[in-house]
Amino acid sequence: MTTTSRNWTRPPLGALAGLLAGYAALAVAELVSAAVRPEAGPVIAVGGAAIDRTPPAFKDYAIRHFGTHDKLVLQLGILAVLTVLAIVLGLLSLRHRKAGALGVLLFGVVGGVAATGRPDSTGISDALPSVVGALVGAALLYWLAGRLTAAPPSAAAGADAREGGWDRRGFIVAATAAAAASTGAGALGRTLNNSRGHDAVASRAAVRLPKPASSAAPVPKGAQLRVPGISPFITPNGDFYRVDTALVVPQVDAGTWRLRIHGKGVTRPITVDFHDLLHRDLIERDITLTCVSNEVGGPYVGNARWIGVRLADLLEEAGVRPPSKGGAADQLVARSVDGMTIGTPVEDIMDGRDAMLALGMNGSPLPFVHGFPVRMLVPGLYGYVSACKWIQDIELTTFDSYDPYWVKHDWSKKAPIKTESRIDTPKPFARPRTGVTVMIAGVAWAQHRGIDKVEVQVDDGPWQRAQLAAEDTTDTWRQWSLPWKPTPGPHTLTVRATDRTGRLQTEKRTNTIPNGASGRHSVVVTAG
Ligand SMILES: Nc1nc2c(c(=O)[nH]1)N[C@H]1C(S)=C(S)[C@@H](COP(=O)(O)O)O[C@H]1N2
Ligand SMILES: [Mo]
């Protein structure tokens, strides 16, 4: 009787001990990370390390399928794995107390190594949250497992407790106390970590964007077609796609932010602060940004009105010359506060286009997720080779001597945006009414070259010229539309654009890796 009851209760209690130890470890780690850096917490560090090591194809898959939720999915996945491991270690500790505790320590070491190995790591102290958390978790597991295997102190325990052959009272007291203490530590850590962002939030709220010295012309009236379902010409900030490797959105205080420009061919290195930038001559420009991970027909493209400082002006002040004028550096490497590195051709930045350090997006300071306080933008280039968010350092170097982050991950060193077009409406599998005219409409882009023609094909019919919306600038996308009266049954609608260099959007399908997807967008609808 006694043995059955022990066999029945002990494994669940062992699992519970493991879970409590894991919970305590994470809670303590959260608290310690508040003293070190929030980004050094074990889940963030392991998640970040996972992102760094994910093969590009899989990362692309994750971005496509989870979109902006990819990071949430990753963190939930890590927590799920940790939960299983905690249970396993709890069960193990019933038989081998030391092994269970050592197992917890081992995961602390893994977390610590992950944290110090991240590109934004500030040193060995980044290992502390994981290691200290694991020490506490290991000690707790060792103690709890001891209660589960020890005979109860015969004087204090009643007959019931003795029957199971374990210290029921000691376990319950220790478990309850540990759960309460962990919750307290975790909550305190969370609060401290969250309060770190307060200065940054206040500094953003205080920003007043001055009137630009060079304003953008108003968006031409005809640039926005009145077609339901088409992407708005200007993408509101809240709808603008987000792609980056940051599990914790950097919250930079504009008041302490600095940007340094230095490196090869820089005769006068400069450091600017936010106030300096804000009070220079500002330009305002409409620029359509596109991610290299955007599939044909995909959502990772957006158009905004940006305000910033011409990057070429700053580079000239620093004494930089483009390679075509004898400059020594052909690559500009931008570094962000989260350790991202992005490499851009110096020639492109200095060839007269509106490459900028942007401070404003659609009339407000940059949102935190889009790079507050300052990001880079270069019309015509995919984001991963031009659009460094949370920028803090610019180094002039050469393509031969340095590979930035994405290039190390198998993407091309240089990547101009490919001519592309997308059908926004009708949506795939829509059911338009036979014989009733509907609008086929969408957007086309070939930044810095401009869109000259968009054509639509219904099934295997002739290519029909769509009506183009008014052009804002060659750096922005262009809307288009074509009325269509469907005949009954299924139809495939396909779109293709021609850019101002006369180049027709290729029908050849390529992957997003290494330098952007190509091919034509099709939508299948059925008229009934
Ligand atoms: N610091 C930092 N900047 C970054 C990235 C990043 O991961 N980290 N991703 C780049 C990529 S791949 C793109 S497409 C753009 C996306 O900018 P958005 O998120 O504002 O749309 O930012 C670029 N700048
Ligand atoms: Mo991107």
Side-chain angles (χ1 to χ4, degrees), residues 241 243 290-293 383-384:
Y241 81 89
V243 171
T290 310
C291 180
V292 72
S293 294
Y384 86 102

Side-chain angles (χ1 to χ4, degrees), residues 362-387:
N362 291 332
S364 27
L366 291 179
F368 285 107
V369 288
H370 295 297
F372 181 82
V374 180
R375 76 175 306 168
M376 219 172 102
L377 285 175
V378 183
L381 307 184
Y382 284 117
Y384 86 102
V385 286
S386 68

Side-chain angles (χ1 to χ4, degrees), residues 203-204 207-212 237 254 257 259 272-285 305-310 314 356-368 370-377 388 391:
S203 75
R204 182 170 181 276
V207 174
R208 297 283 168 272
L209 293 173
K211 200 177 140 33
N237 289 355
W257 176 86
L259 170 72
V272 288
D273 64 22
F274 191 72
H275 186 266
D276 285 345
L277 280 190
L278 211 55
H279 293 89
R280 282 168 176 259
D281 280 354
L282 299 178
I283 58 170
E284 178 186 50
R285 298 290 184 265
R305 176 156 284 203
W306 310 87
I307 289 181
V309 174
R310 280 181 62 88
L314 279 171
M356 65 162 102
L357 293 175
L359 321 158
M361 180 178 186
N362 291 332
S364 27
L366 291 179
F368 285 107
H370 295 297
F372 181 82
V374 180
R375 76 175 306 168
M376 219 172 102
L377 285 175
C388 187
I391 192 171

Side-chain angles (χ1 to χ4, degrees), residues 34-70:
V36 182
R37 293 181 326 125
E39 295 83 356
V43 175
I44 301 298
V46 170
I51 290 176
D52 292 344
R53 282 163 190 75
T54 309
F58 183 76
K59 192 177 320 193
D60 244 37
Y61 171 88
I63 292 175
R64 273 204 301 284
H65 292 265
F66 306 125
T68 301
H69 301 303
D70 57 345

